[in-house]
Amino acid sequence: MNLKNHLIFTLYTIYGILLKVMASKGKVRGISGQYPLVQNVTVTEGGTANLTCRVEYNDNTSLQWSNPAQQTLFFGDKKALRDNRIELVRASWSELTISISDVSLSDEGMYTCSLFTMPVRTAKAYLTVLGVPEKPEIDGLTKPALEGDQITLTCITQGSKPAADLRWFRNEKEVKGAKEVNASGKTFTVRSSLNLRVDRNDDGVAYTCRVDHVALTQTTQQATEVLEVHYPPRVEIIHSLAIPQEGQYLKLECVSKGNPSPDPVMWTKDGGELPDLDRMIVEGRELTFTSLNKTDNGTYRCEATNHLGTSQAEYVLYVYDPNALGQHGTDHALIGGVVAVVVFVTLCLIIVLGRYLARHKGTYLTNEAKGADDAPDADTAIINAEGNHAHAEEKKEYFI
Ligand SMILES: *[C@@H]1O[C@H](CO)[C@@H](O)[C@H](O)[C@H]1NC(C)=O
Ligand SMILES: *[C@@H]1O[C@H](CO)[C@@H](O)[C@H](O)[C@H]1NC(C)=O
Ligand SMILES: *[C@@H]1O[C@H](CO)[C@@H](O)[C@H](O)[C@H]1NC(C)=O
Ligand SMILES: *[C@@H]1O[C@H](CO)[C@@H](O)[C@H](O)[C@H]1NC(C)=O
Ligand SMILES: *[C@@H]1O[C@H](CO)[C@@H](O)[C@H](O)[C@H]1NC(C)=O
Ligand SMILES: *[C@@H]1O[C@H](CO)[C@@H](O)[C@H](O)[C@H]1NC(C)=O
């Protein structure tokens, strides 16, 4: 009994050691480690997908790839399905790689690699096919649009998988649209709308709709439309002199903005035609006086018209007498100067006193007297505007 048990135990031990030795030499891997390995594959529509199946330890057992419809594609290096797009890349005992070119959305699905051991071992690889979005199209543009119109720009792209994203840009700056996604078969139709109330600032502005999609890494798909907005004119008169004086040259320019461009503009004086004078020249949008005369006084009006409306601007010309003006002008300048200096000195005093009061609460009376000495009367202040300034700065430093 004992001996028999002992013998059986010994046999089992030897068998165990044998198994281990064989396993280490890779002879029995079929039982424990012989299995196919695959990876999921993602490919863009029209591209080529490689399906690779690997077996690390193989005892010359055949490998096979089959498609989602369970049809065998390749059995070892033997092609089983007639499809020109499917080719053998590599076949060995440890690997079976095939390629599918010009992949279409219908190729998507679960592919199976089988290793014909007993029992058969399989591995499944999912082939994902990305649908490339078509070039987007922008709809809903009225050309030209009228100022104040409410328009809705719609951008549509079809054929994306997964659904693409659409982004709007107004002259490069992103603006928010309203997106809508519909499935059509395996792909998606994506639409994004943009509501606009157009005004004259939209004239010539480019609206771009760009497609964002995982299959568009190298290229950009986008569409651009440039708005054309028609609007009534708006005119303005720009004059070359602030104080027109007799004998001077004066140019009045009628700046008109409108679309279509209001051309030509019309000049009138005091509601009537311009006097026919050699000194007065109308050239395009400009009215030029080569030498002003008192008799030129009056209200000058320029008017611009396009099919959407009319706009006018006025300029009241008052020709000053150079002699009278000389007197006047200097008076104004003098008063202006006096006011400026007085304000400046006052401000300096406030700042200086403020600082001083904050630091030397006890002694401000004496220094106030000093401050009063510094600003004697307005006339001196005007004459010594520069000097006063320098003095004030000095004082500030002194108090700090
Ligand atoms: C497929 O495999 C072949 C051979 O190894 C290689 O040249 C090709 O680039 C691979 N294609 C893809 C899409 O990985
Ligand atoms: C595997 O096949 C090769 C020839 O392709 C042969 O030499 C080898 O003996 C085979 N091995 C096994 C374990 O069948
Ligand atoms: C492969 O794809 C399938 C189906 O999409 C998924 O269930 C599985 O987890 C994926 N496997 C790997 C390794 O990503
Ligand atoms: C999505 O479907 C709805 C309802 O069928 C339809 O009204 C809409 O126009 C569709 N949108 C797109 C972007 O195709
Ligand atoms: C202004 O016009 C009047 C009459 O046309 C002329 O007598 C006078 O000399 C002119 N004055 C100047 C400064 O040109
Ligand atoms: C024109 O302006 C002068 C001042 O330069 C004024 O004396 C004169 O009355 C004005 N004439 C008219 C017609 O308005």
Side-chain angles (χ1 to χ4, degrees):
M1 271 294 271
N2 233 338
L3 186 72
K4 198 178 168 189
N5 274 348
H6 191 78
L7 252 172
I8 289 169
F9 178 77
T10 310
L11 275 173
Y12 268 119
T13 308
I14 290 168
Y15 180 63
I17 289 167
L18 263 173
L19 271 180
K20 274 184 188 164
V21 168
M22 285 168 76
S24 71
K25 288 198 173 173
K27 302 250 175 184
V28 201
R29 288 278 162 159
I31 302 159
S32 59
Q34 190 180 18
Y35 48 83
L37 287 169
V38 297
Q39 274 183 330
N40 285 347
V41 175
T42 297
V43 65
T44 299
E45 201 180 0
T48 300
N50 281 354
L51 294 174
T52 298
C53 183
R54 283 200 177 85
V55 190
E56 246 178 284
Y57 305 100
N58 196 358
D59 55 356
N60 294 4
T61 305
S62 295
L63 282 166
Q64 168 193 291
W65 268 115
S66 57
N67 68 13
Q70 311 296 327
Q71 296 166 304
T72 301
L73 302 177
F74 267 91
F75 183 82
D77 59 1
K78 285 173 195 67
K79 189 167 180 169
L81 188 76
R82 285 170 71 97
D83 185 334
N84 295 336
R85 303 176 307 131
I86 303 174
E87 286 172 48
L88 183 68
V89 174
R90 212 171 294 115
S92 69
W93 294 119
S94 62
E95 178 185 339
L96 179 60
T97 296
I98 61 170
S99 74
I100 308 174
S101 56
D102 194 17
V103 169
S104 70
L105 292 168
S106 57
D107 290 323
E108 180 165 288
M110 200 66 93
Y111 286 72
T112 309
C113 174
S114 308
L115 177 67
F116 287 92
T117 45
M118 285 296 261
V120 174
R121 290 169 188 238
T122 62
K124 294 187 181 295
Y126 196 85
L127 175 66
T128 303
V129 182
L130 303 176
V132 184
E134 285 170 18
K135 189 168 166 51
E137 276 175 23
I138 297 178
D139 268 346
L141 191 69
T142 39
K143 251 188 175 179
L146 299 185
E147 185 169 45
D149 276 0
Q150 194 82 40
I151 63 171
T152 303
L153 295 182
T154 306
C155 179
I156 294 189
T157 180
Q158 295 181 314
S160 59
K161 175 179 169 298
D165 197 16
L166 290 177
R167 295 165 73 189
W168 282 101
F169 295 86
R170 181 189 192 277
N171 277 351
E172 320 283 308
K173 191 172 174 291
E174 183 153 14
V175 286
K176 195 120 186 73
K179 197 170 81 170
E180 187 191 350
V181 178
N182 277 11
S184 52
K186 293 191 172 198
T187 63
F188 297 90
T189 298
V190 185
R191 166 159 49 188
S192 180
S193 316
L194 202 59
N195 274 312
L196 302 173
R197 209 186 120 84
V198 298
D199 64 26
R200 56 188 58 208
N201 297 321
D202 287 315
D203 190 39
V205 167
Y207 278 91
T208 299
C209 169
R210 199 173 83 196
V211 186
D212 271 8
H213 192 259
V214 47
L216 296 176
T217 43
Q218 261 100 45
T219 56
T220 44
Q221 286 275 52
Q222 60 181 43
T224 298
E225 287 286 356
V226 177
L227 293 201
E228 187 189 339
V229 182
H230 277 184
Y231 52 94
R234 202 175 279 172
V235 299
E236 186 188 342
I237 295 177
I238 295 175
H239 47 92
S240 63
L241 290 175
I243 304 165
Q245 300 173 38
E246 215 163 26
Q248 282 185 326
Y249 170 93
L250 172 68
K251 186 166 89 179
L252 299 182
E253 190 186 346
C254 181
V255 179
S256 67
K257 286 203 184 94
N259 194 11
S261 180
D263 214 27
V265 297
M266 197 173 78
W267 287 99
T268 54
K269 180 188 179 186
D270 299 326
E273 281 190 20
L274 288 182
D276 186 19
L277 294 173
D278 287 345
R279 297 180 293 104
M280 222 181 261
I281 301 162
V282 177
E283 212 179 309
R285 308 177 170 279
E286 291 172 6
L287 169 58
T288 310
F289 300 83
T290 52
S291 168
L292 287 171
N293 189 303
K294 276 186 197 176
T295 56
D296 295 335
N297 281 8
T299 302
Y300 291 83
R301 177 177 295 166
C302 105
E303 196 176 281
T305 304
N306 68 11
H307 73 275
L308 292 172
T310 296
S311 167
Q312 51 192 29
E314 282 183 0
Y315 175 77
V316 177
L317 176 62
Y318 185 90
V319 180
Y320 289 91
D321 182 331
N323 307 315
L325 188 67
Q327 194 57 46
H328 241 70
T330 15
D331 281 357
H332 278 300
L334 198 68
I335 293 166
V338 171
V339 170
V341 171
V342 168
V343 168
F344 180 74
V345 169
T346 314
L347 276 176
C348 287
L349 279 176
I350 289 169
I351 291 165
V352 163
L353 280 175
R355 286 196 177 205
Y356 186 71
L357 284 175
R359 280 154 207 248
H360 309 271
K361 278 184 187 164
T363 55
Y364 73 95
L365 265 174
T366 359
N367 282 296
E368 197 183 285
K370 235 195 221 169
D373 284 346
D374 285 339
D377 61 299
D379 283 343
T380 332
I382 298 151
I383 297 157
N384 296 329
E386 288 274 300
N388 248 324
H389 179 91
H391 203 144
E393 289 296 335
E394 226 172 66
K395 252 171 57 178
K396 249 196 265 175
E397 271 164 31
Y398 168 73
F399 283 118
I400 293 160

